[in-house]
Amino acid sequence: MTIHEKLDAGKAYYEIRLESIGGLGANLCGKMLGELGIKYLGLNSSSFSSYGSEKTGTPVKGFIRYCKENKEIRVHYPVTEPDLLVIFHQALLKDASVWKGCNEKTSVIIALEPGQELIPFLEDLKKKTAIPGRGQFYGLEAQRIAMETHSRINVVMLGAALKVMGIESLDAGEAICKDTLGKKYPDALQNNLDGMRRGYDEVAEISKTTRISEGNEKSEPVIDMSKTVKHSDDSKQDNGQVWGYDNAPIGGINPRFGSTVIADLSPSRQGYIPIFVKERCINCGLCFSACPDMVFQFAKGEYKGREMMVNQGLDYYHCKGCLRCVDVCPVNALVRGVEAEHPEKPYFLPNQELLIMPAYYEEAGPDGYITSESYLTEKRMEGGEV
């Protein structure tokens, strides 16, 4: 059903959740979707985003609500049961929290890697995480489209979202794109419009396609994933939220206070990682002080004949690629490297305090978009260094 059909059928709100990481433009995409409803779809709408203090490279969520023009939006909490879930980065798929609140009525758009085999991809995914059963899954190669059009992933995903929402014409999408990007990036406007059009045209339902990039419309059976959803115990709410008003620990204690030791931060990386050149290291500890995520592993050792704490290696499991350590290192013992060029990471040492390694953990592949000409062109246009 289209967005207008759902609202006409009596649904109070049509809700969208964007799952992304900083740097892919999900926040702006959410704002554009919000303004689109008010300006061009004849609806009331609201939109806001949620992200941490270090936006670039960290998880980002966008929330958009639509309702009929004669109805007020009087709720302001995050979208917990989306009608449309848009996943910008494939590394987020293994995080079960991304799928919270989804059901068989949720439409899901996934940004796929170039040439990806779609049916085997979903079959493998359902073995690793709890994903909704028998919903509508759509895919497109957003990264490839963004590179080829010299646009951004967010406008490609915007075009795909409009198609899945049932917007029959791209006129409204082009108008909001011109309103938002035309003044700030006039030289890049046509590229972004091209990227949005291709996102609209090339998004396809995964259950009916075996390879998006080749346009192969070979019929495939719908994958029934209803049996893969992991049901929690009674202490968890229906939307997947572990702690809430009724079951929070006494005193409102957060059992995961101030620590990312059990979190997998590798999906946050955007193409770059710090490379450790051990022979240059003077064990000053500045990297340890600057790192927000306990990446550096110091232990007692010997340096220049003296017993002291010595840098043993990096825990890339927790590294999100912010490169603060590279900035503060006084002797270039840490340098920026392209992750694609280092499949075997030197001095990879998991955190010794990590007692339980999550079963789903895999080393996330690098996001080539960040090192692409499309991304670098945008940086040059803003006057920044490349």
Side-chain angles (χ1 to χ4, degrees), residues 120-135:
F121 162 69
L122 279 184
E123 289 282 9
D124 183 59
L125 179 62
K126 71 177 183 178
K127 298 175 183 177
K128 299 178 179 179
T129 187
I131 58 180
R134 233 177 164 76

Side-chain angles (χ1 to χ4, degrees), residues 81-217:
E81 298 182 0
D83 296 280
L84 175 62
L85 176 67
V86 185
I87 302 175
F88 281 60
H89 196 292
Q90 203 167 112
L92 295 169
L93 295 175
K94 61 189 177 183
D95 184 355
S97 68
V98 168
W99 303 101
K100 284 183 178 179
C102 294
N103 53 50
E104 68 280 357
K105 297 181 180 179
T106 302
S107 297
V108 182
I109 303 175
I110 302 173
L112 298 161
E113 296 178 0
Q116 190 159 37
E117 296 287 349
L118 305 180
I119 297 300
F121 162 69
L122 279 184
E123 289 282 9
D124 183 59
L125 179 62
K126 71 177 183 178
K127 298 175 183 177
K128 299 178 179 179
T129 187
I131 58 180
R134 233 177 164 76
Q136 291 179 295
F137 287 79
Y138 300 83
L140 76 163
E141 297 178 16
Q143 180 176 299
R144 175 180 60 82
I145 295 171
M147 289 181 178
E148 291 176 357
T149 59
H150 283 198
S151 61
R152 292 202 66 189
I153 289 177
N154 58 351
V155 294
V156 178
M157 298 302 280
L158 173 64
L162 296 179
K163 182 67 170 289
V164 175
M165 288 162 58
I167 307 300
E168 296 181 355
S169 171
L170 259 184
D171 293 345
E174 292 179 353
I176 198 65
C177 198
K178 291 176 182 177
D179 292 347
T180 306
L181 304 174
K183 294 180 180 179
K184 188 173 183 179
Y185 305 115
D187 295 338
L189 177 59
Q190 188 57 50
N191 290 342
N192 284 315
L193 290 174
D194 292 343
M196 184 179 65
R197 291 192 196 99
R198 287 191 57 183
Y200 185 91
D201 292 336
E202 296 184 29
V203 65
E205 191 170 354
I206 289 178
S207 60
K208 297 179 181 178
T209 311
T210 54
R211 188 185 279 272
I212 294 280
S213 61
E214 296 177 358
N216 184 348
E217 294 300 323

Side-chain angles (χ1 to χ4, degrees), residues 52-329:
S53 58
E54 302 165 51
K55 186 178 178 185
T56 300
T58 55
V60 175
K61 295 179 183 290
F63 309 103
I64 303 96
R65 278 190 180 88
Y66 296 119
C67 68
K68 286 194 170 184
E69 196 173 22
N70 59 357
K71 177 182 174 63
E72 293 184 12
I73 298 179
R74 302 181 67 86
V75 295
H76 306 285
Y77 52 81
V79 172
T80 57
E81 298 182 0
D83 296 280
L84 175 62
L85 176 67
V86 185
I87 302 175
F88 281 60
H89 196 292
Q90 203 167 112
L92 295 169
L93 295 175
K94 61 189 177 183
D95 184 355
S97 68
V98 168
W99 303 101
K100 284 183 178 179
C102 294
N103 53 50
E104 68 280 357
K105 297 181 180 179
T106 302
S107 297
V108 182
I109 303 175
I110 302 173
L112 298 161
E113 296 178 0
Q116 190 159 37
E117 296 287 349
L118 305 180
I119 297 300
F121 162 69
L122 279 184
E123 289 282 9
D124 183 59
L125 179 62
K126 71 177 183 178
K127 298 175 183 177
K128 299 178 179 179
T129 187
I131 58 180
R134 233 177 164 76
Q136 291 179 295
F137 287 79
Y138 300 83
L140 76 163
E141 297 178 16
Q143 180 176 299
R144 175 180 60 82
I145 295 171
M147 289 181 178
E148 291 176 357
T149 59
H150 283 198
S151 61
R152 292 202 66 189
I153 289 177
N154 58 351
V155 294
V156 178
M157 298 302 280
L158 173 64
L162 296 179
K163 182 67 170 289
V164 175
M165 288 162 58
I167 307 300
E168 296 181 355
S169 171
L170 259 184
D171 293 345
E174 292 179 353
I176 198 65
C177 198
K178 291 176 182 177
D179 292 347
T180 306
L181 304 174
K183 294 180 180 179
K184 188 173 183 179
Y185 305 115
D187 295 338
L189 177 59
Q190 188 57 50
N191 290 342
N192 284 315
L193 290 174
D194 292 343
M196 184 179 65
R197 291 192 196 99
R198 287 191 57 183
Y200 185 91
D201 292 336
E202 296 184 29
V203 65
E205 191 170 354
I206 289 178
S207 60
K208 297 179 181 178
T209 311
T210 54
R211 188 185 279 272
I212 294 280
S213 61
E214 296 177 358
N216 184 348
E217 294 300 323
K218 180 181 177 182
S219 178
E220 293 285 348
V222 176
I223 299 176
D224 185 0
M225 290 171 284
S226 58
K227 296 181 180 179
T228 68
V229 179
K230 300 175 182 177
H231 298 284
S232 57
D233 56 44
D234 294 337
S235 67
K236 295 186 179 182
Q237 300 171 6
D238 291 339
N239 65 2
Q241 181 65 43
V242 178
W243 301 116
Y245 178 80
D246 293 329
N247 60 358
I250 295 176
I253 298 172
N254 180 355
R256 295 179 63 177
F257 51 92
S259 174
T260 55
V261 71
I262 60 174
D264 178 6
L265 300 185
S266 58
S268 300
R269 292 201 289 270
Q270 285 284 281
Y272 297 106
I273 56 172
I275 301 297
F276 185 32
V277 186
K278 190 172 179 64
E279 56 270 21
R280 297 179 185 171
C281 182
I282 58 175
N283 300 299
C284 63
L286 288 176
C287 55
F288 183 86
S289 300
C291 179
D293 297 304
M294 307 188 318
V295 167
F296 294 92
Q297 306 302 301
F298 278 75
K300 286 185 178 181
E302 185 177 304
Y303 175 68
K304 292 187 175 180
R306 295 174 55 194
E307 183 179 335
M308 61 188 302
M309 299 298 287
V310 175
N311 193 348
Q312 305 293 317
L314 291 74
D315 177 14
Y316 287 103
Y317 172 80
H318 286 109
C319 177
K320 62 174 171 280
C322 69
L323 301 181
R324 284 184 174 187
C325 55
V326 174
D327 292 337
V328 302
C329 183

